[in-house]
Amino acid sequence: QVQLVESGGGLVKPGGSLRLSCGAAGFPFSDYSINWVRQAPGKGLQWVSFINTAGTTIKYADSVKGRFTISRDNAKSSVDLQMDNLRVEDTALYYCARGEVTFEFWGRGTLVTVSS
Amino acid sequence: EIVLTQSPATLSVSPGERATLSCRASQSVSSHLAWYQQKPGQAPRLLMHDASTRAAGLPPTFSGSGSGTDFTLTISSLQSEDFAVYYCQQYHDWPLTFGGGTKVEIK
């Protein structure tokens, strides 16, 4: 069955960096676009970034533009999210989700905590 | 960016009763609206897309309606497993945005 597994979360100081990964299985990975969506503790959902099947179309939320970089490796069935210059307000559970503009399958998330 | 406003923030409903959730967009999104359900400790689950098309396996007790700026998710007879937080999401334009959510709780 479809599986998305996020990893790479952790505790980091403001201004620091983390690299999240989303590993996929159970479907032809190169046929699907992938998004990152985050959820701050006790809060709602916020879309973060999108990458299309070939990695040629990439989009970011304004709040992360210039600090986050999304990439994918279809040979490894994975999508990465490089997060630099992290801020306290980036603290959230980060989900990867399969879909072009709606999110039909989700991973369980990886927690990123930005705190001094 | 398109802002989605969901109401009410919390809806108290008895099992077996009907629940009506609202989502209003700050500008027209045509029918490019989805609904998600999220239970505590779980990832969201896609319920509906194109405003009224049920995701695979979703029972007909769930229905969606609306277009333009006003949308409704209706659960005709609430079961215990339906008590959760519901989010709407627009995909008419980038950035993709979500509403703030409606929590459906047991009355």
Side-chain angles (χ1 to χ4, degrees):
Chain A
Q1 72 276 24
V2 173
Q3 282 193 315
L4 295 168
V5 180
E6 303 91 341
S7 61
L11 174 63
V12 63
K13 289 181 168 50
S17 297
L18 275 179
R19 190 175 185 91
L20 306 185
S21 289
C22 171
F27 64 97
F29 181 76
S30 59
D31 289 352
Y32 290 89
S33 299
I34 299 291
N35 293 266
W36 287 94
V37 177
R38 68 185 180 183
Q39 186 168 33
K43 302 297 185 183
L45 301 168
Q46 182 189 23
W47 169 78
V48 173
S49 184
F50 161 91
I51 188 165
N52 74 338
T53 54
T56 53
T57 299
I58 285 173
K59 296 188 183 292
Y60 299 100
D62 284 348
S63 57
V64 307
K65 202 172 293 183
R67 302 186 298 120
F68 289 12
T69 304
I70 193 170
S71 61
R72 69 186 292 159
D73 184 337
N74 285 339
K76 295 182 178 179
S77 296
S78 68
V79 169
D80 286 352
L81 186 70
Q82 175 66 38
M83 305 188 298
D84 298 318
N85 192 17
L86 282 160
R87 304 168 179 168
V88 170
E89 55 265 34
D90 295 319
T91 295
L93 186 62
Y94 284 73
Y95 295 101
C96 65
R98 191 185 90 174
E100 194 72 22
V101 288
T102 58
F103 313 116
E104 51 186 353
F105 287 103
W106 299 63
R108 302 185 72 168
T110 186
L111 183 63
V112 172
T113 303
V114 184
S115 174
S116 54
Chain B
E1 89 177 31
I2 297 174
V3 176
L4 299 180
T5 302
Q6 291 187 242
S7 60
T10 304
L11 187 60
S12 298
V13 186
S14 299
E17 289 190 341
R18 180 187 194 95
T20 302
L21 289 66
S22 174
C23 176
R24 177 165 288 176
S26 59
Q27 63 191 77
S28 175
V29 298
S30 184
S31 294
H32 301 142
L33 191 100
W35 289 93
Y36 299 84
Q37 176 194 67
Q38 187 177 33
K39 297 179 181 179
Q42 296 185 17
R45 169 195 176 193
L46 177 66
L47 299 178
M48 202 86 61
H49 61 92
D50 295 337
S52 60
T53 302
R54 280 188 294 273
L58 191 69
T61 50
F62 288 83
S63 62
S65 64
S67 67
T69 61
D70 290 300
F71 300 86
T72 300
L73 176 70
T74 301
I75 312 169
S76 61
S77 177
L78 273 159
Q79 307 301 306
S80 57
E81 62 267 25
D82 301 330
F83 291 95
V85 179
Y86 293 81
Y87 295 96
C88 56
Q89 177 239 329
Q90 68 80 22
Y91 48 97
H92 185 69
D93 199 6
W94 300 91
L96 308 178
T97 52
F98 290 89
T102 291
K103 181 180 181 181
V104 178
E105 64 176 25
I106 300 175
K107 187 174 183 180

